[in-house]
Amino acid sequence: MKSNKLKRYHSLQRKYLCIPYVVFLLLFVIVPIGIIIFYAFTYEYIDPTTQETYLKASGQAFLNFFTSWSKINVLFVSLYVALITTVLCLLIGFPLAYFLADKKVNKNAVFVTLFIAPMWINFVLRTGATRDLLTWMGINGGEYPYLATIIGMVQNYLPFVILPLYTTMTKLDKSQIEAAKDLGANPIQVFFKNIIPQATPGIVSACLMTFMPTMSSYVISDTLSEGKITLFGNYIELEFVNKAWNDGSFMALIMLVFIAITMVISQKSDKKSKKEGGAW
């Protein structure tokens, strides 16, 4: 009897510990998303007789987005910049993470800290410093807006790629790699058939931590391109500044759809990697 009472008591304690999380989730996730959905599918109308403004259920924001070439163009530009940034970060971050995870080369966490340290500096300060450095190098944002923006994106988001890759690389099964070599696999086969499958969870995490923030970022593109490149985040911010709450909310809802898609891809990738076990 006492043991049953103790179990019930501990289960109640665990339930009470969930209350702060549930409250946080409700106030800062569910309610804001609900407000976004509400404004995305309503629109302001003015009564011609009373001149009063009121909200009415409408798909006007949907029509405004998909009939506006400028908004669709911004979406494609954002996807392009995000894709290039993600690919470059992976190409640079993957070998760096592999190097840092090699205990023969890096015997402590000092090198890792040096690569992660830029994350501790204010985001705006980093962007301003990058702009000054690029200007000194002759890469003016006004003349080379895409080049300057992508360099700034890679510089800012590279640590977010290195960290998950490094965490994954430290858990690589070295015995599988050695077995593949003993069985006659060349370095390219070992890399693509052994290391990549084992590192897939880190690669997916790195892509998620780079692709979506790049699309929604607006400080870097505004600062480094001197306002010549407008990303999706820029346009949402402009809509809200201009008090176009409905159009801005619908664009924010599109971003949420992209985030949901990436989360589904991440979950499927994790399940697949767990089933396969990264075997060669």
Side-chain angles (χ1 to χ4, degrees), residues 158-231:
L158 186 59
F160 294 94
V161 171
I162 292 174
L163 187 59
L165 286 174
Y166 169 78
T167 305
T168 304
M169 296 291 188
T170 55
K171 299 174 183 178
L172 290 180
D173 189 349
K174 302 295 183 182
S175 61
Q176 285 191 28
I177 298 172
E178 291 173 1
K181 292 177 180 178
D182 292 339
L183 291 170
N186 58 46
I188 295 175
Q189 289 175 321
V190 171
F191 180 76
F192 283 105
K193 293 186 178 181
N194 193 292
I195 295 174
I196 290 290
Q198 290 192 66
T200 297
I203 294 171
V204 173
S205 297
C207 290
L208 293 178
M209 294 177 71
T210 307
F211 190 85
M212 294 310 301
T214 301
M215 279 192 66
S216 59
S217 174
Y218 59 91
V219 174
I220 297 174
S221 59
D222 258 356
T223 305
L224 297 182
S225 72
E226 297 182 6
K228 290 192 174 183
I229 294 179
T230 302
L231 298 183

Side-chain angles (χ1 to χ4, degrees), residues 96-97 99-101 106-121 158-160 162-163 166-167:
L96 281 173
F99 172 81
L100 293 171
N106 181 28
K107 296 183 179 180
N108 51 54
V110 175
F111 283 130
V112 180
T113 305
L114 290 175
F115 281 100
I116 304 303
M119 294 169 63
W120 303 340
I121 303 171
L158 186 59
F160 294 94
I162 292 174
L163 187 59
Y166 169 78
T167 305

Side-chain angles (χ1 to χ4, degrees), residues 121-276:
I121 303 171
N122 183 274
F123 186 78
V124 178
L125 290 177
R126 293 203 312 267
T127 305
T130 304
R131 178 194 57 195
D132 295 340
L133 178 62
L134 291 176
T135 303
W136 177 77
M137 293 171 63
I139 306 174
N140 191 297
E143 297 178 4
Y144 310 101
Y146 280 96
L147 179 60
T149 299
I150 289 173
I151 289 174
M153 292 289 187
V154 172
Q155 185 267 334
N156 275 280
Y157 290 108
L158 186 59
F160 294 94
V161 171
I162 292 174
L163 187 59
L165 286 174
Y166 169 78
T167 305
T168 304
M169 296 291 188
T170 55
K171 299 174 183 178
L172 290 180
D173 189 349
K174 302 295 183 182
S175 61
Q176 285 191 28
I177 298 172
E178 291 173 1
K181 292 177 180 178
D182 292 339
L183 291 170
N186 58 46
I188 295 175
Q189 289 175 321
V190 171
F191 180 76
F192 283 105
K193 293 186 178 181
N194 193 292
I195 295 174
I196 290 290
Q198 290 192 66
T200 297
I203 294 171
V204 173
S205 297
C207 290
L208 293 178
M209 294 177 71
T210 307
F211 190 85
M212 294 310 301
T214 301
M215 279 192 66
S216 59
S217 174
Y218 59 91
V219 174
I220 297 174
S221 59
D222 258 356
T223 305
L224 297 182
S225 72
E226 297 182 6
K228 290 192 174 183
I229 294 179
T230 302
L231 298 183
F232 213 66
N234 295 82
Y235 218 110
I236 294 172
E237 190 255 349
L238 286 171
E239 294 283 26
F240 285 130
V241 168
N242 294 327
K243 296 184 179 180
W245 312 112
N246 311 99
D247 293 327
S249 296
F250 185 79
M251 293 181 72
L253 188 62
I254 291 175
M255 285 295 301
L256 288 174
V257 170
F258 273 106
I259 292 170
I261 291 170
T262 55
M263 288 177 67
V264 170
I265 293 171
S266 175
Q267 289 177 353
K268 287 186 176 180
S269 175
D270 287 342
K271 288 179 181 178
K272 186 178 178 182
S273 62
K274 286 177 181 178
K275 286 181 180 178
E276 293 180 355

